[in-house]
Amino acid sequence: MFNDLISIIIPVYNVREFLSECLDSALNQTYNNIEIIIIDDGSNDGSDIICDEYARKSPLINVVHKENGGLSDARNCGLELCKGEFVTFIDSDDKIDETYIEELHRLISINNVLVASISYEKIDLNNIIIPDKKKNGKNYNTSRVYNRDEIIKGILLRSFHYAAWGSMYRIQALKGISFAKGKKNEDILFWMDLIDNVDSVVYCDLPLYKYRMRSGSITTGIDVYWDAIQNANDINEKIRVKYPGLYEYSEYNYLYYLFLYAKLGSNREENSKFVIKTIRKKIFKILLCEHFSVSEKIQIMLLIMNLNILKTAIKRN
């Protein structure tokens, strides 16, 4: 059991500054039976050269160079090539502690589940840990098994971490699953597909994954929230049919991303009109929804009021 082959999939695109740290952390694991699959997604900053240098030095590394197709496409390519009984993903600007693979494998094995997830810490460009006020005073290294309904509810309320990284998957859990291409918020779709294949997940609050905060990340920008709105709408339809008892959480998730998009603002007039129109249509549901805080409800009302004031001023002029 503790000699299972574990595949580490690392998509790479223009991260020369951080790539060596990521690859070193994957190589320096206390668990030895690993293969590292690097998918160079058309890098043009020298990252491809670094990948090849590491592959020449270590027999554990397999590098594939391909045309740029995006993060989802690179991950899918890695899944097609992996040979392990277990799979984990690392983003190439992040890094992992030396016991990361060993601990995830231990969790998934002793709990006899298909998926194990672990906590993470945010780091800056200089590897300094960014304090998380929510975790102050929290006991690390506590684990718990969550059932399917708890996971879905946690994902939709954003209380359960659902990134592709930070978890280990038995290969059978990924049967028939791929990452949606062309999406900037693809991980939630991945997890909503994954949950159909698994009935429980073990989670441990031990921060062995280091998530790097940087402005160039694909997970920043207003377009991420537009994708999140579209994804949330698709999830609504799925939850309505397959898990109707959890629909209130799905609807809240959709409304929440509408709120974020309106709050951040966008120069895409057609998108903004759709968002504001939908918020107005759903305003009573928003105000009655227990998952929105009082502060958020006030902000939503102010957004609508300010837009009405602006429209009135335009008409008068």
Side-chain angles (χ1 to χ4, degrees):
M1 178 175 69
F2 292 103
N3 197 38
D4 298 321
L5 177 62
I6 297 174
S7 300
I8 303 174
I9 298 174
I10 306 178
V12 173
Y13 180 70
N14 289 355
V15 286
R16 179 180 58 184
E17 183 179 354
F18 309 108
L19 184 54
S20 291
E21 282 186 74
C22 175
L23 299 182
D24 286 339
S25 73
L27 285 168
N28 295 329
Q29 291 296 298
T30 55
Y31 189 97
N32 296 319
N33 194 18
I34 60 174
E35 64 167 359
I36 300 172
I37 301 173
I38 302 173
I39 308 298
D40 168 39
D41 194 35
S43 297
N44 55 26
D45 72 337
S47 294
D48 52 335
I49 297 172
I50 295 173
C51 292
D52 288 338
E53 289 174 349
Y54 271 81
R56 282 193 292 269
K57 294 176 183 177
S58 174
L60 299 177
I61 293 179
N62 176 25
V63 177
V64 174
H65 300 284
K66 59 183 285 295
E67 291 185 3
N68 181 254
L71 178 60
S72 291
D73 191 52
R75 285 173 172 169
N76 290 338
C77 182
L79 284 174
E80 291 175 4
L81 296 171
C82 71
K83 300 174 182 177
E85 299 163 76
F86 299 83
V87 178
T88 189
F89 300 93
I90 308 174
D91 284 357
S92 52
D93 52 351
D94 299 337
K95 60 182 184 175
I96 54 177
D97 288 0
E98 63 179 8
T99 58
Y100 174 81
I101 296 296
E102 180 181 356
E103 182 62 21
L104 279 172
H105 183 257
R106 185 189 70 82
L107 285 166
I108 207 170
S109 300
I110 65 173
N111 289 283
N112 195 28
V113 293
L114 296 178
V115 181
S117 298
I118 210 161
S119 185
Y120 67 98
E121 288 178 318
K122 295 177 182 179
I123 57 174
D124 65 15
L125 301 182
N126 299 310
N127 291 315
I128 297 173
I129 295 174
I130 300 171
D132 188 343
K133 295 179 181 179
K134 294 180 181 179
K135 293 187 176 181
N136 284 347
K138 209 170 187 179
N139 292 324
Y140 286 136
N141 205 21
T142 57
S143 62
R144 180 192 159 190
V145 176
Y146 291 82
N147 65 38
R148 180 181 284 126
D149 282 3
E150 289 174 321
I151 298 163
I152 295 174
K153 180 179 176 181
I155 289 172
L156 297 174
L157 294 179
R158 296 174 307 285
S159 60
F160 186 91
H161 180 66
Y162 56 80
W165 51 261
S167 296
M168 183 176 289
Y169 315 88
R170 290 185 190 267
I171 194 66
Q172 60 263 42
L174 301 177
K175 185 177 181 180
I177 294 177
S178 61
F179 290 89
K181 297 180 183 179
K183 295 282 188 178
K184 294 184 176 68
N185 192 248
E186 70 280 356
D187 284 6
I188 191 169
L189 297 178
F190 168 77
W191 266 89
M192 293 307 296
D193 286 339
L194 177 71
I195 204 63
D196 291 338
N197 289 356
V198 303
D199 56 13
S200 59
V201 172
V202 61
Y203 173 81
C204 181
D205 193 32
L206 187 63
L208 299 180
Y209 191 99
K210 309 305 179 189
Y211 174 75
R212 195 179 305 275
M213 301 293 291
R214 63 186 184 97
S215 58
S217 171
I218 196 171
T219 55
T220 60
I222 189 69
D223 287 343
V224 171
Y225 293 111
W226 181 248
D227 270 9
I229 291 170
Q230 294 176 306
N231 292 345
N233 187 53
D234 292 340
I235 291 169
N236 263 348
E237 294 308 310
K238 174 175 182 172
I239 297 297
R240 190 197 307 272
V241 174
K242 299 194 74 170
Y243 309 104
L246 300 172
Y247 184 73
E248 69 167 284
Y249 306 109
S250 179
E251 186 173 42
Y252 161 72
N253 179 61
Y254 176 65
L255 295 173
Y256 179 79
Y257 282 112
L258 289 172
F259 160 59
L260 283 186
Y261 193 91
K263 181 180 177 181
L264 291 173
S266 171
N267 57 6
R268 300 189 180 186
E269 186 176 352
E270 185 176 344
N271 292 355
S272 294
K273 282 182 178 179
F274 168 80
V275 167
I276 293 298
K277 181 180 178 180
T278 307
I279 288 177
R280 282 180 173 154
K281 186 178 178 180
K282 303 281 189 178
I283 189 62
F284 291 111
K285 282 192 175 182
I286 291 172
L287 295 178
L288 293 173
C289 179
E290 63 179 279
H291 306 300
F292 279 105
S293 68
V294 173
S295 173
E296 288 169 341
K297 291 176 182 178
I298 292 172
Q299 290 178 63
I300 291 168
M301 290 301 299
L302 289 174
L303 281 169
I304 294 176
M305 290 171 61
N306 286 341
L307 190 65
N308 285 335
I309 292 169
L310 178 61
K311 282 188 173 181
T312 301
I314 291 172
K315 287 180 179 178
R316 285 178 178 174
N317 290 334

